[in-house]
Amino acid sequence: MSNVINVPLGTRSYAIHIGAGLLPQLGLLTAQALRGRACLLVTDSHVSQIYGEFAAASLRAAGFSVSRAVVPAGEASKCGEQLFALYNAAKQAGLDRTGIVVALGGGVVGDLAGFLAATWLRGVAFVQVPTTLLAMVDSSVGGKTGIDLPSGKNLVGAFHQPSLVVADLATLETLPPREIRAGMAEVVKYGAIRDTQLFQALEKLATTFSKAWKIPSEIIARCCAIKADVVANDEREETGLRAILNFGHTLGHAIEKATGYGRILHGEAVAIGMVAAARLSTKLTGLPDADATRLEALLTKLELPVRAPGLAWPELRAAMKLDKKSQGGIPRFVLLKKLGEAVTGCVVPEDVLQEVAHGLGE
Ligand code: NAD
Ligand code: GLY
């Protein structure tokens, strides 16, 4: 059984297919969505070993010619050096304007390969095949692509929507528990900003979650539906709506940068960032203390970090200044009025920010 969710964006609309055992249908689904024949399958060193050949075989069986490019696993690959290596791979694969980039992997591969697709020959089609929970519920949908710079996360990028997303839930069976937990942070985010029913369902799930690390497909589908709705209404983060998806990310991105990309996973940094944002919200936007406590308790039950001991405030503050969401060097935060309702573009007084950030270090 698979779920199909549409992302309605006019001529750039696309379908997200969600279900267990979809990888063998990748070729067929791609052929239904796109006319090109040459594919560059971009993946990382872990995912290539487990799923690379399955994906390539499915594409070949549907008539595509497939070249494979493999980047080292991990956040450090979301960089200019790997991007330029992929441009060479695209050239060698003979990828012309009808060519297709297929991103098989987590958010790192999706963001990097998506940016390759956005910029190669001024833009070619791409297909997202997310294999992490985080990529299934967040990064594979919505068309944000890009790379990190030493000076900041995602500082170079483009909006470039995929033509198709194929999320095979069976691939989550090989994903390490730490990565599942990191993905759960983005799942909790959707509940906190947009859907109290989802939040309650997660509180229930959290009581047994660490025994099985299994996440019901309806929850993944619900997250994709929320993201599809937000993106359809503010594709390029112009009205402020899409910015709600950045809840927990202002401090989260700063933590990732200050600790060197990859040591604290993106989802883990977002968990800490959401706790900080909730505390700021109790001081600035009227979030009841009890709701901030519920959020922290849920993340703790999911075995996510909620503190960042040892992080130096000056480094964090400097990283926030360079954050994409800053304006004139002043960081902007997404805060909560209550669970399920977020406010964007919030400026936080320096003393309040410092007090909350210090609290996280305890
Ligand atoms: P990731 O891509 O680094 O994958 C995590 C690890 O899991 C890697 O080691 C990978 O090799 C391994 N892996 C992937 N699938 C596997 C599987 N099925 N079985 C076994 N191992 C597997 O990390 P991620 O958490 O998926 O993505 C994080 C990135 O996503 C960050 O760079 C973040 O900025 C980005 N992101 C982008 C958006 C967006 O809208 N574009 C949204 C959220 C996050
Ligand atoms: N993950 C944030 C966004 O897609 O806008």
Side-chain angles (χ1 to χ4, degrees), residues 134 137-144 154 159 186 189-190 227 230-231 234-235 237 241-247 249 253 266 324:
L134 183 141
V137 299
D138 193 352
S139 61
S140 65
V141 177
K144 278 191 182 175
N154 298 333
F159 287 100
E186 299 279 12
K189 177 189 81 179
Y190 288 111
K227 181 138 189 193
V230 168
V231 169
D234 183 18
E235 184 184 4
E237 216 165 292
L241 173 64
R242 184 166 179 165
I244 63 172
L245 300 172
N246 296 330
F247 177 57
H249 284 58
H253 281 167
H266 176 74
K324 293 202 286 346

mmCIF file of all heavy atoms in Angstrom, residues 134 137-144 154 159 186 189-190 227 230-231 234-235 237 241-247 249 253 266 324, ligand 2:
data_model
loop_
_atom_site.group_PDB
_atom_site.id
_atom_site.type_symbol
_atom_site.label_atom_id
_atom_site.label_comp_id
_atom_site.label_asym_id
_atom_site.label_seq_id
_atom_site.Cartn_x
_atom_site.Cartn_y
_atom_site.Cartn_z
ATOM 1 N N LEU A 134 14.554 11.849 8.046
ATOM 2 C CA LEU A 134 14.596 13.307 7.912
ATOM 3 C C LEU A 134 14.345 13.727 6.461
ATOM 4 O O LEU A 134 13.604 14.665 6.174
ATOM 5 C CB LEU A 134 15.950 13.835 8.399
ATOM 6 C CG LEU A 134 16.090 15.357 8.374
ATOM 7 C CD1 LEU A 134 16.853 15.848 9.597
ATOM 8 C CD2 LEU A 134 16.748 15.861 7.111
ATOM 9 N N VAL A 137 10.557 13.183 5.455
ATOM 10 C CA VAL A 137 9.535 14.105 5.979
ATOM 11 C C VAL A 137 9.838 15.562 5.680
ATOM 12 O O VAL A 137 8.994 16.422 5.883
ATOM 13 C CB VAL A 137 9.322 13.947 7.507
ATOM 14 C CG1 VAL A 137 8.840 12.551 7.853
ATOM 15 C CG2 VAL A 137 10.586 14.297 8.294
ATOM 16 N N ASP A 138 11.066 15.855 5.233
ATOM 17 C CA ASP A 138 11.415 17.269 5.133
ATOM 18 C C ASP A 138 12.222 17.600 3.872
ATOM 19 O O ASP A 138 11.715 18.192 2.923
ATOM 20 C CB ASP A 138 12.184 17.696 6.401
ATOM 21 C CG ASP A 138 12.309 19.199 6.543
ATOM 22 O OD1 ASP A 138 11.939 19.916 5.603
ATOM 23 O OD2 ASP A 138 12.767 19.668 7.600
ATOM 24 N N SER A 139 13.490 17.171 3.835
ATOM 25 C CA SER A 139 14.391 17.757 2.823
ATOM 26 C C SER A 139 14.076 17.357 1.386
ATOM 27 O O SER A 139 14.432 18.084 0.454
ATOM 28 C CB SER A 139 15.847 17.425 3.151
ATOM 29 O OG SER A 139 16.063 16.039 3.147
ATOM 30 N N SER A 140 13.412 16.213 1.163
ATOM 31 C CA SER A 140 13.164 15.800 -0.223
ATOM 32 C C SER A 140 11.988 16.558 -0.845
ATOM 33 O O SER A 140 11.770 16.500 -2.045
ATOM 34 C CB SER A 140 12.889 14.288 -0.295
ATOM 35 O OG SER A 140 11.684 13.983 0.384
ATOM 36 N N VAL A 141 11.232 17.248 0.005
ATOM 37 C CA VAL A 141 10.028 17.941 -0.459
ATOM 38 C C VAL A 141 10.248 19.450 -0.378
ATOM 39 O O VAL A 141 10.797 19.933 0.610
ATOM 40 C CB VAL A 141 8.821 17.555 0.436
ATOM 41 C CG1 VAL A 141 7.574 18.317 0.034
ATOM 42 C CG2 VAL A 141 8.585 16.058 0.375
ATOM 43 N N GLY A 142 9.869 20.186 -1.399
ATOM 44 C CA GLY A 142 9.870 21.644 -1.270
ATOM 45 C C GLY A 142 10.901 22.385 -2.073
ATOM 46 O O GLY A 142 10.826 23.601 -2.203
ATOM 47 N N GLY A 143 11.917 21.673 -2.596
ATOM 48 C CA GLY A 143 12.806 22.292 -3.579
ATOM 49 C C GLY A 143 13.918 23.161 -3.041
ATOM 50 O O GLY A 143 14.562 23.872 -3.805
ATOM 51 N N LYS A 144 14.192 23.109 -1.720
ATOM 52 C CA LYS A 144 15.376 23.849 -1.250
ATOM 53 C C LYS A 144 16.598 22.966 -1.494
ATOM 54 O O LYS A 144 16.646 21.815 -1.026
ATOM 55 C CB LYS A 144 15.272 24.168 0.240
ATOM 56 C CG LYS A 144 14.445 25.392 0.537
ATOM 57 C CD LYS A 144 14.592 25.804 1.995
ATOM 58 C CE LYS A 144 13.734 27.009 2.306
ATOM 59 N NZ LYS A 144 13.756 27.357 3.746
ATOM 60 N N ASN A 154 24.181 26.015 4.447
ATOM 61 C CA ASN A 154 23.255 26.270 3.337
ATOM 62 C C ASN A 154 23.381 27.682 2.773
ATOM 63 O O ASN A 154 22.381 28.250 2.329
ATOM 64 C CB ASN A 154 21.790 26.091 3.797
ATOM 65 C CG ASN A 154 21.489 24.680 4.260
ATOM 66 O OD1 ASN A 154 22.130 23.728 3.829
ATOM 67 N ND2 ASN A 154 20.522 24.533 5.128
ATOM 68 N N PHE A 159 16.255 27.420 -5.193
ATOM 69 C CA PHE A 159 14.971 26.705 -5.160
ATOM 70 C C PHE A 159 14.863 25.938 -6.466
ATOM 71 O O PHE A 159 14.966 26.531 -7.544
ATOM 72 C CB PHE A 159 13.807 27.690 -5.052
ATOM 73 C CG PHE A 159 13.658 28.326 -3.710
ATOM 74 C CD1 PHE A 159 14.131 29.609 -3.459
ATOM 75 C CD2 PHE A 159 13.035 27.642 -2.665
ATOM 76 C CE1 PHE A 159 13.985 30.200 -2.206
ATOM 77 C CE2 PHE A 159 12.882 28.226 -1.407
ATOM 78 C CZ PHE A 159 13.364 29.505 -1.179
ATOM 79 N N GLU A 186 12.495 16.566 13.288
ATOM 80 C CA GLU A 186 11.735 17.328 12.276
ATOM 81 C C GLU A 186 10.259 16.918 12.306
ATOM 82 O O GLU A 186 9.372 17.726 12.034
ATOM 83 C CB GLU A 186 12.323 17.119 10.870
ATOM 84 C CG GLU A 186 13.780 17.569 10.700
ATOM 85 C CD GLU A 186 13.972 19.081 10.475
ATOM 86 O OE1 GLU A 186 13.009 19.857 10.670
ATOM 87 O OE2 GLU A 186 15.109 19.470 10.127
ATOM 88 N N LYS A 189 8.766 18.803 15.012
ATOM 89 C CA LYS A 189 8.637 20.202 14.570
ATOM 90 C C LYS A 189 7.275 20.449 13.922
ATOM 91 O O LYS A 189 6.603 21.442 14.233
ATOM 92 C CB LYS A 189 9.761 20.521 13.574
ATOM 93 C CG LYS A 189 9.697 21.908 12.977
ATOM 94 C CD LYS A 189 10.709 22.077 11.842
ATOM 95 C CE LYS A 189 10.193 21.499 10.533
ATOM 96 N NZ LYS A 189 11.155 21.676 9.414
ATOM 97 N N TYR A 190 6.842 19.533 13.024
ATOM 98 C CA TYR A 190 5.549 19.739 12.348
ATOM 99 C C TYR A 190 4.405 19.801 13.355
ATOM 100 O O TYR A 190 3.483 20.601 13.223
ATOM 101 C CB TYR A 190 5.275 18.610 11.345
ATOM 102 C CG TYR A 190 6.130 18.671 10.111
ATOM 103 C CD1 TYR A 190 7.106 17.725 9.873
ATOM 104 C CD2 TYR A 190 5.947 19.694 9.181
ATOM 105 C CE1 TYR A 190 7.894 17.781 8.735
ATOM 106 C CE2 TYR A 190 6.730 19.755 8.044
ATOM 107 C CZ TYR A 190 7.703 18.800 7.826
ATOM 108 O OH TYR A 190 8.477 18.866 6.706
ATOM 109 N N LYS A 227 4.039 19.727 4.859
ATOM 110 C CA LYS A 227 5.072 20.456 4.117
ATOM 111 C C LYS A 227 4.555 20.852 2.735
ATOM 112 O O LYS A 227 4.794 21.968 2.265
ATOM 113 C CB LYS A 227 6.356 19.629 4.012
ATOM 114 C CG LYS A 227 7.439 20.395 3.250
ATOM 115 C CD LYS A 227 8.803 20.306 3.821
ATOM 116 C CE LYS A 227 9.736 21.287 3.119
ATOM 117 N NZ LYS A 227 11.130 21.087 3.386
ATOM 118 N N VAL A 230 2.357 23.911 3.049
ATOM 119 C CA VAL A 230 3.116 25.135 3.345
ATOM 120 C C VAL A 230 3.856 25.596 2.074
ATOM 121 O O VAL A 230 3.819 26.776 1.706
ATOM 122 C CB VAL A 230 4.118 24.882 4.505
ATOM 123 C CG1 VAL A 230 5.117 26.013 4.632
ATOM 124 C CG2 VAL A 230 3.363 24.694 5.821
ATOM 125 N N VAL A 231 4.499 24.655 1.395
ATOM 126 C CA VAL A 231 5.279 25.010 0.195
ATOM 127 C C VAL A 231 4.349 25.519 -0.914
ATOM 128 O O VAL A 231 4.666 26.487 -1.612
ATOM 129 C CB VAL A 231 6.109 23.785 -0.285
ATOM 130 C CG1 VAL A 231 6.708 24.023 -1.655
ATOM 131 C CG2 VAL A 231 7.216 23.486 0.733
ATOM 132 N N ASP A 234 3.606 29.129 -0.107
ATOM 133 C CA ASP A 234 4.723 30.092 -0.005
ATOM 134 C C ASP A 234 6.006 29.397 -0.472
ATOM 135 O O ASP A 234 6.914 29.152 0.321
ATOM 136 C CB ASP A 234 4.876 30.579 1.452
ATOM 137 C CG ASP A 234 5.974 31.629 1.597
ATOM 138 O OD1 ASP A 234 6.374 32.234 0.577
ATOM 139 O OD2 ASP A 234 6.443 31.838 2.734
ATOM 140 N N GLU A 235 6.053 29.118 -1.784
ATOM 141 C CA GLU A 235 7.138 28.285 -2.316
ATOM 142 C C GLU A 235 8.514 28.852 -1.997
ATOM 143 O O GLU A 235 9.439 28.121 -1.664
ATOM 144 C CB GLU A 235 6.964 28.148 -3.839
ATOM 145 C CG GLU A 235 7.982 27.218 -4.454
ATOM 146 C CD GLU A 235 7.884 27.148 -5.970
ATOM 147 O OE1 GLU A 235 7.069 27.873 -6.559
ATOM 148 O OE2 GLU A 235 8.652 26.353 -6.544
ATOM 149 N N GLU A 237 9.441 31.200 0.305
ATOM 150 C CA GLU A 237 9.576 31.843 1.612
ATOM 151 C C GLU A 237 9.435 33.355 1.493
ATOM 152 O O GLU A 237 10.240 34.116 2.010
ATOM 153 C CB GLU A 237 10.945 31.473 2.214
ATOM 154 C CG GLU A 237 10.914 31.291 3.715
ATOM 155 C CD GLU A 237 12.144 30.584 4.269
ATOM 156 O OE1 GLU A 237 12.316 29.386 3.988
ATOM 157 O OE2 GLU A 237 12.923 31.248 4.962
ATOM 158 N N LEU A 241 5.099 32.430 5.542
ATOM 159 C CA LEU A 241 4.525 31.148 5.964
ATOM 160 C C LEU A 241 5.583 30.044 5.990
ATOM 161 O O LEU A 241 5.738 29.325 6.973
ATOM 162 C CB LEU A 241 3.366 30.748 5.028
ATOM 163 C CG LEU A 241 2.808 29.349 5.288
ATOM 164 C CD1 LEU A 241 2.179 29.258 6.677
ATOM 165 C CD2 LEU A 241 1.780 28.943 4.229
ATOM 166 N N ARG A 242 6.332 29.913 4.880
ATOM 167 C CA ARG A 242 7.291 28.802 4.807
ATOM 168 C C ARG A 242 8.333 28.888 5.916
ATOM 169 O O ARG A 242 8.880 27.868 6.362
ATOM 170 C CB ARG A 242 7.967 28.759 3.426
ATOM 171 C CG ARG A 242 8.879 27.546 3.304
ATOM 172 C CD ARG A 242 9.326 27.242 1.899
ATOM 173 N NE ARG A 242 10.203 26.089 1.936
ATOM 174 C CZ ARG A 242 10.552 25.377 0.900
ATOM 175 N NH1 ARG A 242 10.110 25.696 -0.301
ATOM 176 N NH2 ARG A 242 11.353 24.336 1.032
ATOM 177 N N ALA A 243 8.602 30.111 6.356
ATOM 178 C CA ALA A 243 9.614 30.286 7.409
ATOM 179 C C ALA A 243 9.244 29.537 8.692
ATOM 180 O O ALA A 243 10.120 29.247 9.511
ATOM 181 C CB ALA A 243 9.828 31.769 7.682
ATOM 182 N N ILE A 244 7.963 29.168 8.873
ATOM 183 C CA ILE A 244 7.619 28.424 10.107
ATOM 184 C C ILE A 244 8.382 27.098 10.163
ATOM 185 O O ILE A 244 8.621 26.555 11.231
ATOM 186 C CB ILE A 244 6.096 28.162 10.293
ATOM 187 C CG1 ILE A 244 5.528 27.283 9.182
ATOM 188 C CG2 ILE A 244 5.317 29.458 10.434
ATOM 189 C CD1 ILE A 244 4.077 26.845 9.443
ATOM 190 N N LEU A 245 8.764 26.597 8.976
ATOM 191 C CA LEU A 245 9.500 25.324 8.942
ATOM 192 C C LEU A 245 10.890 25.465 9.555
ATOM 193 O O LEU A 245 11.586 24.481 9.763
ATOM 194 C CB LEU A 245 9.617 24.821 7.493
ATOM 195 C CG LEU A 245 8.294 24.550 6.769
ATOM 196 C CD1 LEU A 245 8.536 24.255 5.301
ATOM 197 C CD2 LEU A 245 7.548 23.386 7.420
ATOM 198 N N ASN A 246 11.297 26.709 9.796
ATOM 199 C CA ASN A 246 12.617 26.937 10.390
ATOM 200 C C ASN A 246 12.580 26.953 11.913
ATOM 201 O O ASN A 246 13.559 27.337 12.553
ATOM 202 C CB ASN A 246 13.202 28.271 9.890
ATOM 203 C CG ASN A 246 13.461 28.244 8.397
ATOM 204 O OD1 ASN A 246 13.749 27.179 7.837
ATOM 205 N ND2 ASN A 246 13.353 29.386 7.743
ATOM 206 N N PHE A 247 11.468 26.537 12.501
ATOM 207 C CA PHE A 247 11.384 26.485 13.964
ATOM 208 C C PHE A 247 12.542 25.627 14.507
ATOM 209 O O PHE A 247 12.746 24.499 14.058
ATOM 210 C CB PHE A 247 10.031 25.891 14.385
ATOM 211 C CG PHE A 247 9.864 25.732 15.873
ATOM 212 C CD1 PHE A 247 9.995 26.817 16.726
ATOM 213 C CD2 PHE A 247 9.585 24.486 16.428
ATOM 214 C CE1 PHE A 247 9.842 26.674 18.100
ATOM 215 C CE2 PHE A 247 9.420 24.330 17.798
ATOM 216 C CZ PHE A 247 9.564 25.427 18.631
ATOM 217 N N HIS A 249 15.607 26.154 14.016
ATOM 218 C CA HIS A 249 16.765 26.119 13.112
ATOM 219 C C HIS A 249 17.739 27.281 13.310
ATOM 220 O O HIS A 249 18.880 27.186 12.884
ATOM 221 C CB HIS A 249 16.299 26.079 11.649
ATOM 222 C CG HIS A 249 15.781 24.721 11.232
ATOM 223 N ND1 HIS A 249 14.732 24.104 11.875
ATOM 224 C CD2 HIS A 249 16.176 23.867 10.253
ATOM 225 C CE1 HIS A 249 14.490 22.930 11.294
ATOM 226 N NE2 HIS A 249 15.359 22.756 10.317
ATOM 227 N N HIS A 253 21.156 25.643 13.432
ATOM 228 C CA HIS A 253 22.217 25.820 12.432
ATOM 229 C C HIS A 253 23.491 26.355 13.079
ATOM 230 O O HIS A 253 24.604 25.967 12.706
ATOM 231 C CB HIS A 253 21.753 26.775 11.320
ATOM 232 C CG HIS A 253 20.849 26.116 10.313
ATOM 233 N ND1 HIS A 253 20.108 26.827 9.393
ATOM 234 C CD2 HIS A 253 20.574 24.823 10.068
ATOM 235 C CE1 HIS A 253 19.414 25.986 8.637
ATOM 236 N NE2 HIS A 253 19.680 24.765 9.033
ATOM 237 N N HIS A 266 22.048 17.182 12.179
ATOM 238 C CA HIS A 266 21.119 18.287 11.935
ATOM 239 C C HIS A 266 19.882 18.173 12.837
ATOM 240 O O HIS A 266 19.501 19.134 13.517
ATOM 241 C CB HIS A 266 20.727 18.299 10.450
ATOM 242 C CG HIS A 266 19.704 19.345 10.120
ATOM 243 N ND1 HIS A 266 20.010 20.679 10.049
ATOM 244 C CD2 HIS A 266 18.370 19.245 9.869
ATOM 245 C CE1 HIS A 266 18.907 21.360 9.763
ATOM 246 N NE2 HIS A 266 17.905 20.514 9.641
ATOM 247 N N LYS A 324 21.472 32.552 7.389
ATOM 248 C CA LYS A 324 20.678 33.086 6.258
ATOM 249 C C LYS A 324 19.474 33.897 6.733
ATOM 250 O O LYS A 324 18.996 34.767 6.043
ATOM 251 C CB LYS A 324 20.058 31.970 5.428
ATOM 252 C CG LYS A 324 20.873 31.096 4.664
ATOM 253 C CD LYS A 324 20.122 30.424 3.541
ATOM 254 C CE LYS A 324 19.152 29.315 3.886
ATOM 255 N NZ LYS A 324 19.103 28.687 5.128
HETATM 256 N N1 GLY B 2 13.300 22.819 5.872
HETATM 257 C C1 GLY B 2 12.865 24.154 5.676
HETATM 258 C C2 GLY B 2 12.140 24.370 4.401
HETATM 259 O O1 GLY B 2 12.036 23.483 3.584
HETATM 260 O O2 GLY B 2 11.681 25.453 4.146
#
